[in-house]
mmCIF file of all heavy atoms in Angstrom:
data_model
loop_
_atom_site.group_PDB
_atom_site.id
_atom_site.type_symbol
_atom_site.label_atom_id
_atom_site.label_comp_id
_atom_site.label_asym_id
_atom_site.label_seq_id
_atom_site.Cartn_x
_atom_site.Cartn_y
_atom_site.Cartn_z
ATOM 1 N N PRO A 1037 0.854 -1.134 0.028
ATOM 2 C CA PRO A 1037 -0.024 -0.016 0.009
ATOM 3 C C PRO A 1037 0.887 1.260 -0.015
ATOM 4 O O PRO A 1037 0.412 2.357 -0.447
ATOM 5 C CB PRO A 1037 -0.876 -0.111 1.283
ATOM 6 C CG PRO A 1037 -0.026 -1.059 2.192
ATOM 7 C CD PRO A 1037 0.557 -2.093 1.268
ATOM 8 N N GLY A 1038 2.080 1.237 0.475
ATOM 9 C CA GLY A 1038 2.820 2.373 0.480
ATOM 10 C C GLY A 1038 3.495 2.790 -0.888
ATOM 11 O O GLY A 1038 3.973 3.846 -1.004
ATOM 12 N N LYS A 1039 3.337 1.917 -1.937
ATOM 13 C CA LYS A 1039 3.857 2.142 -3.138
ATOM 14 C C LYS A 1039 3.022 3.212 -4.008
ATOM 15 O O LYS A 1039 3.606 3.802 -4.806
ATOM 16 C CB LYS A 1039 4.065 0.915 -3.858
ATOM 17 C CG LYS A 1039 4.850 0.996 -5.230
ATOM 18 C CD LYS A 1039 4.991 -0.294 -5.878
ATOM 19 C CE LYS A 1039 5.844 -0.190 -7.166
ATOM 20 N NZ LYS A 1039 6.069 -1.449 -7.876
ATOM 21 N N VAL A 1040 1.703 3.013 -3.829
ATOM 22 C CA VAL A 1040 0.853 3.919 -4.651
ATOM 23 C C VAL A 1040 -0.239 4.662 -3.655
ATOM 24 O O VAL A 1040 -0.533 4.159 -2.638
ATOM 25 C CB VAL A 1040 -0.050 3.075 -5.649
ATOM 26 C CG1 VAL A 1040 0.951 2.427 -6.619
ATOM 27 C CG2 VAL A 1040 -0.764 1.960 -4.944
ATOM 28 N N SER A 1041 -0.504 5.826 -4.084
ATOM 29 C CA SER A 1041 -1.462 6.659 -3.277
ATOM 30 C C SER A 1041 -2.907 6.419 -3.855
ATOM 31 O O SER A 1041 -3.079 5.864 -4.694
ATOM 32 C CB SER A 1041 -1.004 8.075 -3.255
ATOM 33 O OG SER A 1041 -1.061 8.545 -4.621
ATOM 34 N N GLU A 1042 -3.817 7.052 -2.933
ATOM 35 C CA GLU A 1042 -5.209 6.901 -3.247
ATOM 36 C C GLU A 1042 -5.608 7.485 -4.652
ATOM 37 O O GLU A 1042 -6.516 6.990 -5.317
ATOM 38 C CB GLU A 1042 -6.014 7.376 -2.116
ATOM 39 C CG GLU A 1042 -5.948 6.738 -0.821
ATOM 40 C CD GLU A 1042 -6.785 7.351 0.194
ATOM 41 O OE1 GLU A 1042 -7.573 8.345 -0.141
ATOM 42 O OE2 GLU A 1042 -6.886 6.810 1.281
ATOM 43 N N ASP A 1043 -4.933 8.526 -4.979
ATOM 44 C CA ASP A 1043 -5.311 9.188 -6.325
ATOM 45 C C ASP A 1043 -4.593 8.564 -7.466
ATOM 46 O O ASP A 1043 -4.649 9.117 -8.629
ATOM 47 C CB ASP A 1043 -5.092 10.664 -6.277
ATOM 48 C CG ASP A 1043 -3.552 11.011 -5.887
ATOM 49 O OD1 ASP A 1043 -2.803 10.085 -5.593
ATOM 50 O OD2 ASP A 1043 -3.217 12.167 -6.083
ATOM 51 N N ASP A 1044 -3.776 7.596 -7.320
ATOM 52 C CA ASP A 1044 -3.036 6.978 -8.377
ATOM 53 C C ASP A 1044 -3.972 6.343 -9.457
ATOM 54 O O ASP A 1044 -4.970 5.843 -9.051
ATOM 55 C CB ASP A 1044 -2.104 5.993 -7.927
ATOM 56 C CG ASP A 1044 -0.735 6.494 -7.357
ATOM 57 O OD1 ASP A 1044 -0.662 7.716 -7.779
ATOM 58 O OD2 ASP A 1044 -0.142 5.738 -6.653
ATOM 59 N N LYS A 1045 -3.558 6.496 -10.707
ATOM 60 C CA LYS A 1045 -4.359 5.829 -11.793
ATOM 61 C C LYS A 1045 -3.650 4.587 -12.304
ATOM 62 O O LYS A 1045 -3.969 4.119 -13.477
ATOM 63 C CB LYS A 1045 -4.731 6.873 -12.837
ATOM 64 C CG LYS A 1045 -5.655 7.978 -12.616
ATOM 65 C CD LYS A 1045 -5.865 8.740 -13.845
ATOM 66 C CE LYS A 1045 -7.006 9.879 -13.460
ATOM 67 N NZ LYS A 1045 -8.351 9.162 -13.404
ATOM 68 N N LEU A 1046 -2.675 4.128 -11.560
ATOM 69 C CA LEU A 1046 -1.845 3.045 -12.083
ATOM 70 C C LEU A 1046 -2.700 1.855 -12.444
ATOM 71 O O LEU A 1046 -2.473 1.154 -13.394
ATOM 72 C CB LEU A 1046 -0.697 2.698 -11.095
ATOM 73 C CG LEU A 1046 0.210 1.533 -11.443
ATOM 74 C CD1 LEU A 1046 0.875 1.960 -12.747
ATOM 75 C CD2 LEU A 1046 1.193 1.415 -10.309
ATOM 76 N N VAL A 1047 -3.517 1.520 -11.458
ATOM 77 C CA VAL A 1047 -4.498 0.373 -11.763
ATOM 78 C C VAL A 1047 -5.294 0.595 -13.057
ATOM 79 O O VAL A 1047 -5.414 -0.269 -13.909
ATOM 80 C CB VAL A 1047 -5.391 0.064 -10.496
ATOM 81 C CG1 VAL A 1047 -6.432 -0.951 -10.870
ATOM 82 C CG2 VAL A 1047 -4.586 -0.414 -9.369
ATOM 83 N N GLU A 1048 -5.781 1.817 -13.223
ATOM 84 C CA GLU A 1048 -6.674 2.096 -14.402
ATOM 85 C C GLU A 1048 -5.710 2.017 -15.680
ATOM 86 O O GLU A 1048 -6.186 1.399 -16.709
ATOM 87 C CB GLU A 1048 -7.171 3.489 -14.248
ATOM 88 C CG GLU A 1048 -8.232 3.810 -15.357
ATOM 89 C CD GLU A 1048 -8.956 5.192 -15.023
ATOM 90 O OE1 GLU A 1048 -8.608 5.715 -13.987
ATOM 91 O OE2 GLU A 1048 -9.650 5.613 -15.924
ATOM 92 N N TYR A 1049 -4.591 2.542 -15.679
ATOM 93 C CA TYR A 1049 -3.607 2.478 -16.796
ATOM 94 C C TYR A 1049 -3.296 0.960 -17.095
ATOM 95 O O TYR A 1049 -3.507 0.663 -18.211
ATOM 96 C CB TYR A 1049 -2.391 3.131 -16.562
ATOM 97 C CG TYR A 1049 -2.407 4.698 -16.325
ATOM 98 C CD1 TYR A 1049 -1.415 5.222 -15.475
ATOM 99 C CD2 TYR A 1049 -3.452 5.415 -16.637
ATOM 100 C CE1 TYR A 1049 -1.486 6.660 -15.300
ATOM 101 C CE2 TYR A 1049 -3.550 6.728 -16.536
ATOM 102 C CZ TYR A 1049 -2.608 7.390 -15.749
ATOM 103 O OH TYR A 1049 -2.624 8.687 -15.485
ATOM 104 N N ASP A 1050 -2.965 0.307 -16.146
ATOM 105 C CA ASP A 1050 -2.578 -1.160 -16.338
ATOM 106 C C ASP A 1050 -3.725 -1.958 -16.841
ATOM 107 O O ASP A 1050 -3.534 -2.815 -17.743
ATOM 108 C CB ASP A 1050 -2.030 -1.666 -14.913
ATOM 109 C CG ASP A 1050 -1.132 -2.890 -15.191
ATOM 110 O OD1 ASP A 1050 -0.937 -3.278 -16.290
ATOM 111 O OD2 ASP A 1050 -0.676 -3.443 -14.119
ATOM 112 N N ALA A 1051 -4.929 -1.672 -16.356
ATOM 113 C CA ALA A 1051 -6.125 -2.583 -16.753
ATOM 114 C C ALA A 1051 -6.568 -2.290 -18.149
ATOM 115 O O ALA A 1051 -6.716 -3.153 -18.921
ATOM 116 C CB ALA A 1051 -7.327 -2.212 -15.785
ATOM 117 N N LEU A 1052 -6.379 -0.950 -18.584
ATOM 118 C CA LEU A 1052 -6.540 -0.622 -19.876
ATOM 119 C C LEU A 1052 -5.619 -1.298 -20.948
ATOM 120 O O LEU A 1052 -6.098 -1.855 -21.946
ATOM 121 C CB LEU A 1052 -6.543 0.925 -20.187
ATOM 122 C CG LEU A 1052 -6.631 1.500 -21.571
ATOM 123 C CD1 LEU A 1052 -8.014 1.171 -22.108
ATOM 124 C CD2 LEU A 1052 -6.314 2.922 -21.731
ATOM 125 N N LEU A 1053 -4.321 -1.265 -20.627
ATOM 126 C CA LEU A 1053 -3.325 -1.842 -21.537
ATOM 127 C C LEU A 1053 -3.566 -3.387 -21.534
ATOM 128 O O LEU A 1053 -3.521 -3.995 -22.644
ATOM 129 C CB LEU A 1053 -2.007 -1.499 -20.970
ATOM 130 C CG LEU A 1053 -1.523 -0.018 -21.120
ATOM 131 C CD1 LEU A 1053 -0.092 0.144 -20.604
ATOM 132 C CD2 LEU A 1053 -1.643 0.467 -22.552
ATOM 133 N N LEU A 1054 -3.887 -4.018 -20.479
ATOM 134 C CA LEU A 1054 -4.016 -5.406 -20.407
ATOM 135 C C LEU A 1054 -5.233 -5.801 -21.262
ATOM 136 O O LEU A 1054 -5.252 -6.840 -22.005
ATOM 137 C CB LEU A 1054 -4.113 -5.938 -18.966
ATOM 138 C CG LEU A 1054 -2.826 -6.025 -18.181
ATOM 139 C CD1 LEU A 1054 -3.065 -6.301 -16.803
ATOM 140 C CD2 LEU A 1054 -1.992 -7.012 -18.751
ATOM 141 N N ASP A 1055 -6.276 -5.003 -21.147
ATOM 142 C CA ASP A 1055 -7.563 -5.321 -21.836
ATOM 143 C C ASP A 1055 -7.353 -5.214 -23.365
ATOM 144 O O ASP A 1055 -7.712 -6.029 -24.198
ATOM 145 C CB ASP A 1055 -8.599 -4.353 -21.341
ATOM 146 C CG ASP A 1055 -9.925 -4.732 -22.097
ATOM 147 O OD1 ASP A 1055 -10.526 -5.853 -21.887
ATOM 148 O OD2 ASP A 1055 -10.376 -3.822 -22.943
ATOM 149 N N ARG A 1056 -6.608 -4.082 -23.658
ATOM 150 C CA ARG A 1056 -6.337 -3.936 -25.196
ATOM 151 C C ARG A 1056 -5.521 -5.136 -25.693
ATOM 152 O O ARG A 1056 -5.473 -5.668 -26.776
ATOM 153 C CB ARG A 1056 -5.663 -2.671 -25.434
ATOM 154 C CG ARG A 1056 -6.497 -1.421 -25.165
ATOM 155 C CD ARG A 1056 -7.797 -1.418 -26.034
ATOM 156 N NE ARG A 1056 -8.568 -0.259 -25.627
ATOM 157 C CZ ARG A 1056 -9.684 -0.273 -24.869
ATOM 158 N NH1 ARG A 1056 -9.966 -1.370 -24.282
ATOM 159 N NH2 ARG A 1056 -10.340 0.833 -24.673
ATOM 160 N N PHE A 1057 -4.480 -5.493 -24.916
ATOM 161 C CA PHE A 1057 -3.524 -6.642 -25.351
ATOM 162 C C PHE A 1057 -4.352 -7.985 -25.371
ATOM 163 O O PHE A 1057 -4.111 -8.674 -26.372
ATOM 164 C CB PHE A 1057 -2.446 -6.757 -24.324
ATOM 165 C CG PHE A 1057 -1.576 -7.989 -24.561
ATOM 166 C CD1 PHE A 1057 -0.897 -8.175 -25.701
ATOM 167 C CD2 PHE A 1057 -1.634 -9.026 -23.685
ATOM 168 C CE1 PHE A 1057 -0.194 -9.215 -26.016
ATOM 169 C CE2 PHE A 1057 -0.987 -10.209 -23.830
ATOM 170 C CZ PHE A 1057 -0.121 -10.321 -25.064
ATOM 171 N N LEU A 1058 -5.161 -8.258 -24.475
ATOM 172 C CA LEU A 1058 -5.912 -9.524 -24.536
ATOM 173 C C LEU A 1058 -6.810 -9.592 -25.725
ATOM 174 O O LEU A 1058 -7.068 -10.591 -26.331
ATOM 175 C CB LEU A 1058 -6.668 -9.783 -23.218
ATOM 176 C CG LEU A 1058 -5.857 -10.014 -21.922
ATOM 177 C CD1 LEU A 1058 -6.722 -10.000 -20.630
ATOM 178 C CD2 LEU A 1058 -5.059 -11.346 -22.081
ATOM 179 N N ASP A 1059 -7.461 -8.434 -26.057
ATOM 180 C CA ASP A 1059 -8.202 -8.402 -27.364
ATOM 181 C C ASP A 1059 -7.349 -8.748 -28.534
ATOM 182 O O ASP A 1059 -7.738 -9.405 -29.466
ATOM 183 C CB ASP A 1059 -8.812 -6.990 -27.416
ATOM 184 C CG ASP A 1059 -10.084 -6.656 -26.562
ATOM 185 O OD1 ASP A 1059 -10.532 -7.737 -25.955
ATOM 186 O OD2 ASP A 1059 -10.433 -5.678 -26.356
ATOM 187 N N ILE A 1060 -6.094 -8.181 -28.502
ATOM 188 C CA ILE A 1060 -5.235 -8.429 -29.732
ATOM 189 C C ILE A 1060 -4.791 -9.832 -29.678
ATOM 190 O O ILE A 1060 -4.662 -10.448 -30.681
ATOM 191 C CB ILE A 1060 -4.073 -7.512 -29.608
ATOM 192 C CG1 ILE A 1060 -4.496 -6.016 -29.868
ATOM 193 C CG2 ILE A 1060 -2.947 -7.874 -30.568
ATOM 194 C CD1 ILE A 1060 -3.486 -4.945 -29.512
ATOM 195 N N LEU A 1061 -4.626 -10.374 -28.464
ATOM 196 C CA LEU A 1061 -4.074 -11.789 -28.413
ATOM 197 C C LEU A 1061 -5.164 -12.730 -28.885
ATOM 198 O O LEU A 1061 -4.940 -13.602 -29.575
ATOM 199 C CB LEU A 1061 -3.828 -12.156 -26.945
ATOM 200 C CG LEU A 1061 -3.259 -13.529 -26.688
ATOM 201 C CD1 LEU A 1061 -1.996 -13.764 -27.310
ATOM 202 C CD2 LEU A 1061 -3.268 -13.827 -25.179
ATOM 203 N N GLN A 1062 -6.462 -12.355 -28.639
ATOM 204 C CA GLN A 1062 -7.658 -13.180 -29.102
ATOM 205 C C GLN A 1062 -7.753 -12.998 -30.688
ATOM 206 O O GLN A 1062 -7.996 -14.067 -31.305
ATOM 207 C CB GLN A 1062 -8.825 -12.719 -28.401
ATOM 208 C CG GLN A 1062 -10.098 -13.570 -28.867
ATOM 209 C CD GLN A 1062 -11.412 -13.122 -28.118
ATOM 210 O OE1 GLN A 1062 -11.305 -12.821 -26.902
ATOM 211 N NE2 GLN A 1062 -12.486 -13.326 -28.736
ATOM 212 N N PHE A 1063 -7.552 -11.910 -31.120
ATOM 213 C CA PHE A 1063 -7.570 -11.678 -32.637
ATOM 214 C C PHE A 1063 -6.503 -12.481 -33.340
ATOM 215 O O PHE A 1063 -6.722 -13.054 -34.417
ATOM 216 C CB PHE A 1063 -7.435 -10.157 -32.840
ATOM 217 C CG PHE A 1063 -7.302 -9.870 -34.403
ATOM 218 C CD1 PHE A 1063 -8.428 -9.938 -35.231
ATOM 219 C CD2 PHE A 1063 -6.116 -9.578 -34.924
ATOM 220 C CE1 PHE A 1063 -8.279 -9.641 -36.590
ATOM 221 C CE2 PHE A 1063 -6.008 -9.306 -36.316
ATOM 222 C CZ PHE A 1063 -7.082 -9.310 -37.028
ATOM 223 N N LEU A 1064 -5.274 -12.533 -32.781
ATOM 224 C CA LEU A 1064 -4.150 -13.170 -33.420
ATOM 225 C C LEU A 1064 -4.147 -14.709 -33.195
ATOM 226 O O LEU A 1064 -3.744 -15.487 -34.077
ATOM 227 C CB LEU A 1064 -2.851 -12.598 -32.939
ATOM 228 C CG LEU A 1064 -2.502 -11.118 -33.220
ATOM 229 C CD1 LEU A 1064 -1.239 -10.646 -32.638
ATOM 230 C CD2 LEU A 1064 -2.505 -10.946 -34.750
#
């Protein structure tokens, strides 16, 4: 918990990239 603060968007960024990648993986 000390690594990220409450206003961090790291989870949101990471989730977006992973979702886009998984869509691409399914396409390929």
Side-chain angles (χ1 to χ4, degrees):
K1039 187 177 181 182
V1040 292
S1041 59
E1042 294 180 358
D1043 62 344
D1044 280 343
K1045 289 185 174 289
L1046 181 56
V1047 172
E1048 189 175 352
Y1049 297 156
D1050 203 0
L1052 173 65
L1053 292 180
L1054 285 171
D1055 182 66
R1056 295 296 180 267
F1057 169 68
L1058 290 173
D1059 286 343
I1060 291 167
L1061 182 66
Q1062 179 174 330
F1063 173 75
L1064 295 175

